[in-house]
Amino acid sequence: MNAQAILTGNRPRKRVAILISGRGSNMAALIEAAKDESYPADIVLVMSNRPDAAGLLTASAAGIATVLIDHMVFGRDREAFERAIQAALEAHRIEIVCLAGFMRLLTPWFVNRWSGRLLNIHPALLPAFKGLHTHERALAAGVKTHGATVHFVAPEMDSGSTIIQAQVPVMPDDLPETLAARVLEVEHKIYPQALRLVAEGRVGAA
Ligand code: GRF
């Protein structure tokens, strides 16, 4: 038995793809967590829908396979775009998909195929502040507590069951940027925790 098999109780690590559109700091947090061989998931693929996503360079530097599937090439045909994603996931024998700042809405065609195996991180305490500009909207609403949610993806946007949430306080002098930075710090903690729970089969979609 090799060292990895001992550490993982002989269960093979789940093969994970991360879909990004930009910076990829959550992606980097997942890659970092998965460097530990006892972590139950292995990040084997990073895919971007944008050629300029900085996270692609981070992933390549970490020795992870990257794929660019530019949605612009497919025009309005969302399903053709998603079929291309699906083909890449199958080619890499992916078992779990993590969305991390992936800025395209996915159709039920794709979401239902990956039910219970498709995760997303959202920078708010869902069901509060679905959609974009969550930090601005949290400040405008005057909430005292904000945070982040890792959830399973369901066909309706930002609506699947929650895996983990983390709260942060909102400070009186917060700007969207300062609040975003505080939330991002907890995002980087809870995404690896949530992926661990899913990869170990300890949590499933409702
Ligand atoms: C994060 O705030 C995440 O919650 C949201 O988009 C942002 C992506 O940041 N979905 P990064 O690309 O992971 O740095």
Side-chain angles (χ1 to χ4, degrees):
M1 202 186 296
N2 64 25
Q4 182 177 327
I6 293 165
L7 288 165
T8 58
N10 239 346
R11 259 176 282 143
R13 306 169 85 198
K14 295 284 185 199
R15 295 175 62 81
V16 173
I18 306 177
L19 271 56
I20 61 168
S21 298
R23 176 177 60 181
S25 70
N26 278 290
M27 172 208 75
L30 292 170
I31 291 173
E32 192 56 39
K35 280 186 186 162
D36 179 347
E37 288 195 346
S38 69
Y39 191 74
D42 192 9
I43 313 302
V44 296
L45 181 67
V46 169
M47 193 185 297
S48 171
N49 66 309
R50 294 186 54 119
D52 57 350
L56 284 173
L57 297 176
T58 314
S60 299
I64 294 168
T66 59
V67 178
L68 168 65
I69 300 181
D70 187 344
H71 65 276
M72 301 291 274
V73 171
F74 301 90
R76 284 163 186 262
D77 191 346
R78 279 185 186 271
E79 207 172 298
F81 168 60
E82 292 177 0
R83 276 198 302 272
I85 296 176
Q86 178 68 22
L89 297 175
E90 284 174 12
H92 286 82
R93 291 178 288 114
I94 297 301
E95 300 171 282
I96 298 173
V97 176
C98 292
L99 308 180
F102 182 69
M103 300 304 286
R104 303 297 294 171
L105 288 177
L106 294 164
T107 71
W109 181 88
F110 185 86
V111 171
N112 290 331
R113 247 167 201 74
W114 287 92
S115 177
R117 300 179 302 143
L118 180 58
L119 284 62
N120 182 43
I121 186 153
H122 182 75
L125 295 171
L126 290 172
F129 309 117
K130 295 180 178 185
L132 297 174
H133 309 300
T134 56
H135 309 306
E136 286 87 340
R137 287 158 55 214
L139 290 176
V143 295
K144 297 279 177 282
T145 305
H146 187 43
T149 305
V150 182
H151 63 96
F152 286 109
V153 178
E156 196 189 325
M157 188 187 67
D158 297 334
S159 71
S161 56
T162 294
I163 303 166
I164 302 187
Q165 287 190 314
Q167 300 187 349
V168 301
V170 179
M171 303 302 187
D173 56 351
D174 261 335
L175 299 169
E177 297 73 33
T178 55
L179 184 54
R182 195 172 309 119
V183 171
L184 196 62
E185 220 171 288
V186 297
E187 289 186 38
H188 295 163
K189 295 199 177 103
I190 63 172
Y191 214 167
Q193 291 168 0
L195 176 58
R196 172 187 284 281
L197 292 176
V198 175
E200 289 177 345
R202 286 157 65 196
V203 65

